[in-house]
């Protein structure tokens, strides 16, 4: 039994560029980073995937989680401020896996059609664990095909995919194909990506398994630290 979680923590530059309430609620980014790291440190999951991690946040995670192994993918694209100067010291953006069992990295690459999205795979705790952030347009199909290939690279080993898929559960399951199970959240679960406008799904962050079971999927409140809420689940043999 392995516990997992995934959380898009919202890169500061993206918040500033897209008028996110988070930037207004947390005008001092170092304070928000301190709060995010404290939340991650308190979580009990053995494997935690984080999306939209800034260089500043990554440095804080490494400094304050010395007993955890932190695997990373640095994207080729570096977020560029469009409206206001950013207070970040390091604007680069990462995909991150925080794990108890160190494991080994087996894949790390941005998608060929989007230098700001990608996949990071680590063999740990008897699983192939794939952290991802998927583009929310017609590139999604090609990217999900890549993810399926990474997850199935060793068919003898169960796989779990964790991340922001920018699509609802049904779409993700259909496009990944047979053999993949997207964890179903309770009917009263908090949205993983709350929205007050638009028609896009509010449930776009998922735990997906192949060759393993998944249960007790749930959404925790981010309490305004990000525009996404964390998702957690239990992976079973």
């Amino acid at each position: 039994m392995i516990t997992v979680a995934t959380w898009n923590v919202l890169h500061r530059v993206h918040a500033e560029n897209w008028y996110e309430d988070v930037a207004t609620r947390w005008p001092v980014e170092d304070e928000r980073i301190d709060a995010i790291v404290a939340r991650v440190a308190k979580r009990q999951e053995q494997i935690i995937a984080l999306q939209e991690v800034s260089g500043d946040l990554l440095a804080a995670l490494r400094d304050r989680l010395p007993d955890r192994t932190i695997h990373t993918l640095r994207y080729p694209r570096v977020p560029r401020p469009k409206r206001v100067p950013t207070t970040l010291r390091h604007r680069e953006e990462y995909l991150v896996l925080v794990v108890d069992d160190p494991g080994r990295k087996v894949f790390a690459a941005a998608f060929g059609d989007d230098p700001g999205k990608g996949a990071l795979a680590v063999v740990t705790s008897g699983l192939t664990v794939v952290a991802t952030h998927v583009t929310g347009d017609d590139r999604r199909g090609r990217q999900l095909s890549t993810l399926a290939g990474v997850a199935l690279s060793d068919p003898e080993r169960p796989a779990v995919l964790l991340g922001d898929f920018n699509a609802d559960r049904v779409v993700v399951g259909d496009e990944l194909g047979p053999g993949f199970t997207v964890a179903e959240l309770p009917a009263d679960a908090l949205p993983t990506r709350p929205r007050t406008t638009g028609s896009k799904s509010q449930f776009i962050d998922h735990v997906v398994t192949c060759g393993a079971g998944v249960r007790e999927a749930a959404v925790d409140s981010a309490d305004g630290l990000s525009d996404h809420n964390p998702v957690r689940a239990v992976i079973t043999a």
Side-chain angles (χ1 to χ4, degrees):
M1 188 175 70
I2 305 294
T3 53
V4 301
T6 180
W7 187 17
N8 182 328
V9 294
L10 182 61
H11 193 286
R12 181 71 186 198
V13 173
H14 298 327
E16 293 164 344
N17 286 347
W18 301 105
Y19 312 94
E20 292 290 354
D21 291 343
V22 176
T24 302
R25 187 178 298 115
W26 292 88
V28 179
E29 179 64 0
D30 282 349
E31 294 179 359
R32 188 177 78 100
I33 285 173
D34 286 345
I36 290 172
V37 173
R39 288 289 184 96
V40 174
K42 288 179 181 178
R43 297 199 67 93
Q44 299 299 308
E45 291 83 14
Q46 295 151 279
I47 299 168
I48 302 174
L50 302 173
Q51 301 86 47
E52 296 196 21
V53 175
S54 70
D56 288 17
L57 175 54
L58 178 58
L61 288 166
R62 284 175 166 159
D63 181 57
R64 300 176 213 176
L65 299 176
D67 57 338
R68 311 292 296 278
T69 300
I70 298 177
H71 296 277
T72 66
L73 163 64
R74 177 176 175 172
Y75 294 128
R77 182 199 68 188
V78 177
R80 181 173 57 86
K82 297 180 179 179
R83 296 178 53 246
V84 295
T86 186
T87 59
L88 285 175
R89 292 173 290 277
H90 302 285
R91 289 188 289 116
E92 62 269 19
E93 182 176 348
Y94 296 85
L95 194 58
V96 170
L97 274 169
V98 180
V99 298
D100 282 351
D101 176 9
R104 59 185 174 90
K105 187 187 297 186
V106 295
F107 183 89
F111 294 124
D113 52 12
D114 188 340
K117 301 289 190 295
L120 167 65
V122 172
V123 174
T124 182
S125 302
L127 300 169
T128 298
V129 179
V130 186
T132 190
H133 194 176
V134 177
T135 309
D137 57 26
D138 59 6
R139 291 171 285 184
R140 180 180 60 238
R142 294 188 295 273
Q143 294 173 5
L144 289 175
S145 179
T146 296
L147 290 173
V150 173
L152 296 171
S153 59
D154 183 348
E156 300 300 316
R157 185 184 299 113
V160 56
L161 293 83
L162 305 167
D164 176 355
F165 290 79
N166 270 307
D168 65 30
R169 176 176 176 268
V170 173
V171 169
V172 172
D174 287 347
E175 296 197 8
L176 280 173
F180 288 89
T181 299
V182 185
E184 186 170 4
L185 294 168
D188 60 352
L190 293 171
T192 75
R193 176 38 172 111
R195 307 177 195 272
T196 56
T197 60
S199 59
K200 292 183 179 180
S201 174
Q202 296 192 60
F203 295 88
I204 62 174
D205 303 85
H206 303 292
V207 175
V208 184
T209 58
C210 181
V214 58
R215 60 181 176 84
E216 298 179 29
V219 183
D220 299 325
S221 175
D223 294 319
L225 284 170
S226 171
D227 57 342
H228 288 245
N229 289 318
V231 179
R232 56 181 163 84
V234 175
I235 309 302
T236 60

